[in-house]
Amino acid sequence: MTTWLTTPSHARWLEHQTTSLLAFARPSPLPAGGFGYLDANGALVTARGAELWISCRMTHCFAMAAMMGHPGYAPLADHGVRSLLDGPFADKQNGGWYSAITADGAPASDTKEAYAHGFVILAAASAAAANRPNARELLDKALQTNLAHFWNEQDGMVADACSQDFATTDPYRGVNSNMHTLEAYLAAADVTQDPAWLHRGLRISTRVVHENARSNNWRIPEHYDESWSPLLEYNDDNKADKFRPYGATPGHGLEWARLILHLHAGLQAIDPAQAPDWMVPAARNLYARAIEDGWAPGGTPGFAYTVGWDGTPVTTQRLHWVAAEAIGAAAALHHATQDPIYATDYQKWWDYVAEFVIDHEKGSWHHETDPDGRPDITIWPGKPDVYHAVQATLIPRLPLAPAMAPALAAGLLDVR
């Protein structure tokens, strides 16, 4: 059966989308270091300075662009590496990286975050896969920092945040930071050729998915105390928080579905016996729950940002990254199972994105739309970065393993 996922012309359409997104992101470098926040028109908002997670995501994307043969992006990846290795993000006294810097390059936050440090690993791994100068040195530092200050061997998880000197750890524990740490570990495992990173990723996935999501009707509890007891009412008074919203997040269910398929494939490549048999069925269940809960609340297209623990929509704004993860999850599930339902869904999600999310006039994707599909800024003003959208255009064209950037380095684009 011919599907978009097997049609060369669709791959060419995806390539055009990748190119357009990367071009939109080109104005993002800041002279002081890092990559800045882009507004709805693609203009750089210099007054905001730079946030570590955005700078790392852009470095990751530009490194991948360099490996795809897009001229002009290798220097941008190098700018990102320099900003992280020796630039204003680097805390030269305590180690690690500041979460944000001001427009003139001074630290804007004294908190060290596992979420952003996970993206340092991802950026460094992608730049190292692209053979960019000093990227492997950056990767080694990022991995050492992760193990020394965030990874807890007893818990098999990372803590969320530390003080600037790493002397104290915030008691809050979260799944979002662990999800992006898993993503980073997948890339690090392929670049370093050290399977220990996959085994750490499996420990994270086992707790989050095999234990907690499975026992909660496949809705992932996101927030915990320091003993990893779930806080199901966390942020009840701030339900639409950008990073720690109340309730279950269908987009994260989709993202976890995809990531555990990548992890399963990576473990299988080492030794099929190391890839637990719960992983592919769990990915199916996470995906099904996310679609049932999140898609088209109120009868209009798009995914709700959050739902309650009974699946009732809570925040019905549509965020672009959720649609991007739906595309990635459908493509990954089709690759893993060959079930035609995922090819059908894949086309459905791209039809939605093409109609409501891609900004055909100004470029990139609207980061937020209201339930009627109109661009909105209730949660996410502007178009800060292109990471989720770029990955949605690449995941369908790559194998499940190795990770995205190492796969590009190996010449595996459109080899599936």
Side-chain angles (χ1 to χ4, degrees):
M1 176 182 173
T2 300
T3 72
W4 285 6
L5 285 160
T6 58
T7 302
S9 60
H10 178 64
R12 291 193 295 271
W13 183 86
L14 290 173
E15 185 170 28
H16 173 71
Q17 298 304 314
T18 308
T19 302
S20 298
L21 288 161
L22 291 167
F24 184 90
R26 283 189 67 92
S28 60
L30 288 166
F35 299 99
Y37 197 105
L38 299 176
D39 69 13
N41 298 311
L44 184 60
V45 186
T46 56
R48 288 187 64 131
E51 295 181 75
L52 180 58
W53 62 275
I54 289 178
S55 289
C56 293
R57 286 178 171 189
M58 298 301 256
T59 303
H60 162 66
C61 289
F62 293 144
M64 292 195 297
M67 284 185 283
M68 288 185 285
H70 293 219
Y73 289 99
L76 296 178
D78 295 346
H79 171 80
V81 171
R82 287 193 301 270
S83 301
L84 295 168
L85 189 59
D86 298 311
F89 280 114
D91 182 346
K92 297 176 178 62
Q93 179 177 349
N94 302 295
W97 291 270
Y98 299 113
S99 297
I101 55 175
T102 64
D104 60 3
S109 170
D110 60 2
T111 300
K112 302 282 178 62
E113 299 173 340
Y115 175 87
H117 278 69
F119 281 114
V120 177
I121 296 172
L122 181 66
S126 297
N131 200 30
R132 303 315 308 162
N134 304 312
R136 183 56 194 264
E137 179 186 353
L138 175 62
L139 177 58
D140 290 342
K141 286 188 176 183
L143 292 172
Q144 290 164 8
T145 301
N146 175 275
L147 288 182
H149 301 297
F150 293 106
W151 175 257
N152 184 298
E153 181 64 25
Q154 180 177 345
D155 293 337
M157 303 284 281
V158 295
D160 228 69
C162 301
S163 59
Q164 183 171 316
D165 61 2
F166 294 111
T168 60
T169 301
D170 192 296
Y172 171 86
R173 301 288 184 268
V175 160
N176 195 10
S177 60
N178 279 275
M179 180 179 71
H180 286 292
T181 297
L182 166 61
E183 176 187 29
Y185 285 177
L186 291 169
D190 288 321
V191 172
T192 65
Q193 293 295 295
D194 183 354
W197 299 107
L198 295 182
H199 297 144
R200 292 184 183 100
L202 180 58
R203 292 189 65 192
I204 292 172
S205 302
T206 300
R207 182 190 287 268
V208 173
V209 175
H210 190 47
E211 297 172 5
N212 294 352
R214 180 185 300 275
S215 64
N216 200 48
N217 204 14
W218 298 106
R219 298 184 183 100
I220 300 172
E222 296 273 346
H223 313 295
Y224 298 80
D225 65 18
E226 59 187 326
S227 65
W228 284 101
S229 297
L231 304 173
L232 297 183
E233 299 308 308
Y234 186 90
N235 261 348
D236 182 39
D237 58 349
N238 184 27
K239 289 184 170 62
D241 188 87
K242 290 179 180 179
F243 295 103
R244 298 181 182 182
Y246 167 81
T249 308
H252 284 167
L254 296 165
E255 200 162 356
W256 275 102
R258 175 176 65 82
L259 288 170
I260 62 174
L261 291 173
H262 293 308
L263 177 59
H264 184 264
L267 291 167
Q268 277 196 318
I270 299 170
D271 176 3
Q274 294 188 28
D277 59 9
W278 61 262
M279 299 182 80
V280 174
R284 282 180 174 268
N285 283 315
L286 287 170
Y287 179 90
R289 169 54 62 204
I291 301 308
E292 182 178 346
D293 285 352
W295 176 249
T300 58
F303 292 92
Y305 177 34
T306 63
V307 300
W309 298 113
D310 61 354
T312 302
V314 173
T315 302
T316 57
Q317 293 294 99
R318 277 62 159 154
L319 302 187
H320 88 293
W321 68 264
V322 183
E325 289 302 331
I327 289 166
L333 278 160
H334 185 265
H335 186 55
T337 69
Q338 296 300 301
D339 189 330
I341 190 173
Y342 300 119
T344 300
D345 280 355
Y346 174 83
Q347 296 176 199
K348 182 178 181 179
W349 309 146
W350 267 124
D351 281 337
Y352 163 72
V353 167
E355 182 173 358
F356 293 103
V357 186
I358 295 174
D359 187 340
H360 298 281
E361 178 183 353
K362 297 177 181 178
S364 191
W365 291 15
H366 299 296
H367 271 45
E368 178 184 352
T369 56
D370 69 15
D372 294 317
R374 296 173 296 218
D376 205 352
I377 57 171
T378 303
I379 302 171
W380 278 109
K383 299 169 181 170
D385 75 301
V386 296
Y387 151 86
H388 279 288
V390 164
Q391 292 198 155
T393 69
L394 292 177
I395 291 165
R397 303 176 64 197
L398 291 167
L400 291 173
M404 208 170 302
L408 290 171
L412 297 178
L413 191 65
D414 293 323
V415 178
R416 296 200 39 183

